[in-house]
Amino acid sequence: MNIIVCIKQVPDTSEVKLDPETNTLIREGVPSIVNPFDENAVEAALQIREKFGGKVTVITMGPPQAKDALKKCVSMGADDAYLLSDKAFAGSDTWATSYTLSRAIKKLGDYDLILCGKQAIDGDTAQVGPGIAEHLDFPQVTYVQEIDEVNDDKIRLKRLVEGATHVMNVSLPAVLTVEKSVNNPRYPSIKGIMRSSKMEIPVLVAKDLDTDPNLLGLDGSPTEVRTVFPPESRGEGEMISGEPEEAAKKLVGKILDLKIV
Ligand SMILES: Cc1cc2nc3c(=O)[nH]c(=O)nc-3n(C[C@H](O)[C@H](O)[C@H](O)COP(=O)(O)OP(=O)(O)OC[C@H]3O[C@@H](n4cnc5c(N)ncnc54)[C@H](O)[C@@H]3O)c2cc1C
């Protein structure tokens, strides 16, 4: 079972700050990590490889420093890693990102399964995995919480939905996006760290991927970001103290005063 895992390098912060001039993320001074959901995707791939054999390849589209994220995945146990990096990819929205990744997957070939994280913690759209599936015309399952059984041409899994769980059989090759609950990612091993530190990561540029230049980067991005702004901070809440009955009366009084009902 050969698996390609798409991973993204993201800022290590929950407090993403925006440049008000350019509407882009301020990345300076913020350390980067592998997107946490993608570590779950790598772990899922490693567990499948351990049971059924095959190899795990990690890919990312990003700037040269995204190699560090790939190396982290190699130190966890991934076999191969590729960085997709080219000026032509700059300004990609989720559609152009998923197109570029799908071209790389086609180029690498020899895969049975594509794994992604549920979402990236910076962009947060959860669109790239489904976008890859559309570009490749593969079945897709999002929000995977458990992988039960894998055989040559099918995978059985559980998918999280509100108030229920779907149990599904999916034909391979397919694209899955995984939840945190799917597993606990392993720590890098000493052997893995040594291997990754010596590893030369190949860089694939646009012309390596047989891409249509009109579908890459800003030109290939149908999304136009009109404006980006942090949510307005709300004033402090008011705590109503007292016995439950008395507090409930006060609360109802306030709701009526504010004409909420
Ligand atoms: C008009 C426009 C211009 C933009 N320009 C830039 C830019 O110049 N530079 C920039 O960094 N961002 C840019 N972005 C943001 C960029 O589109 C997103 O970061 C990217 O498409 C991923 O979307 P997401 O973060 O919502 O990922 P999600 O869809 O939430 O990610 C889901 C999963 O997809 C996979 N995945 C996501 N991104 C990658 C990746 N790059 N490589 C491998 N796997 C991945 C991972 O498995 C991840 O868990 C731009 C966005 C727009 C709308």
Side-chain angles (χ1 to χ4, degrees):
M1 176 76 42
N2 292 338
I3 305 167
I4 297 181
V5 188
C6 300
I7 64 125
K8 184 182 182 191
Q9 192 180 47
V10 294
D12 183 10
T13 176
S14 51
E15 288 176 30
V16 172
K17 295 202 172 66
L18 295 165
D19 181 330
E21 297 285 308
T22 60
N23 281 340
T24 55
L25 293 181
I26 300 172
R27 291 174 193 269
E28 288 76 40
V30 183
S32 296
I33 54 168
V34 176
N35 179 44
F37 291 100
D38 302 352
E39 288 198 9
N40 294 93
V42 172
E43 177 62 36
L46 296 174
Q47 288 184 13
I48 295 171
R49 185 193 65 190
E50 278 156 10
K51 274 195 194 155
F52 305 99
K55 71 173 176 181
V56 174
T57 303
V58 283
I59 62 172
T60 192
M61 182 185 104
Q65 60 269 29
K67 275 187 183 174
D68 294 343
L70 292 169
K71 288 201 170 204
K72 164 87 190 281
C73 301
V74 171
S75 68
M76 287 171 72
D79 300 283
D80 294 327
Y82 294 87
L83 172 68
L84 322 179
S85 200
D86 193 313
K87 282 205 172 81
F89 304 152
S92 296
D93 67 359
T94 55
W95 185 242
T97 301
S98 51
Y99 170 71
T100 310
L101 290 166
S102 71
R103 295 311 303 168
I105 291 164
K106 272 244 178 258
K107 189 76 187 173
L108 294 173
D110 195 20
Y111 48 78
D112 305 292
L113 181 63
I114 315 300
L115 292 179
C116 291
K118 176 181 80 164
Q119 68 196 72
I121 60 164
D122 56 348
D124 248 354
T125 66
Q127 291 175 353
V128 170
I132 294 170
E134 285 302 313
H135 285 298
L136 293 170
D137 200 17
F138 284 175
Q140 57 173 289
V141 182
T142 50
Y143 307 115
V144 171
Q145 60 169 347
E146 208 173 301
I147 296 172
D148 293 329
E149 214 176 284
V150 185
N151 62 39
D152 280 347
D153 59 354
K154 272 204 173 56
I155 186 161
R156 202 179 68 220
L157 44 84
K158 294 196 179 77
R159 173 176 192 262
L160 190 66
V161 286
E162 211 173 315
T165 298
H166 287 158
V167 180
M168 307 175 83
N169 281 324
V170 187
S171 307
L172 297 176
V175 178
L176 311 182
T177 78
V178 302
E179 287 277 354
K180 286 224 89 60
S181 56
V182 77
N183 54 40
N184 291 313
R186 68 193 65 188
Y187 291 110
S189 64
I190 300 284
K191 199 171 142 206
I193 293 170
M194 285 167 67
R195 183 167 168 263
S196 71
S197 66
K198 286 189 205 130
M199 190 179 207
E200 280 298 319
I201 304 224
V203 180
L204 302 177
V205 296
K207 71 173 169 24
D208 296 323
L209 304 181
D210 299 333
T211 47
D212 176 343
N214 297 316
L215 301 180
L216 296 177
L218 206 51
D219 288 347
S221 295
T223 319
E224 184 197 335
V225 180
R226 300 290 292 273
T227 171
V228 183
F229 54 90
E232 261 177 50
S233 56
R234 289 196 245 159
E236 245 178 74
E238 184 188 336
M239 297 296 289
I240 299 176
S241 54
E243 291 302 309
E245 208 173 312
E246 184 200 341
K249 271 190 193 145
K250 276 191 206 164
L251 179 62
V252 170
K254 283 185 184 291
I255 290 172
L256 293 175
D257 287 349
L258 290 169
K259 298 192 170 45
I260 294 170
V261 287

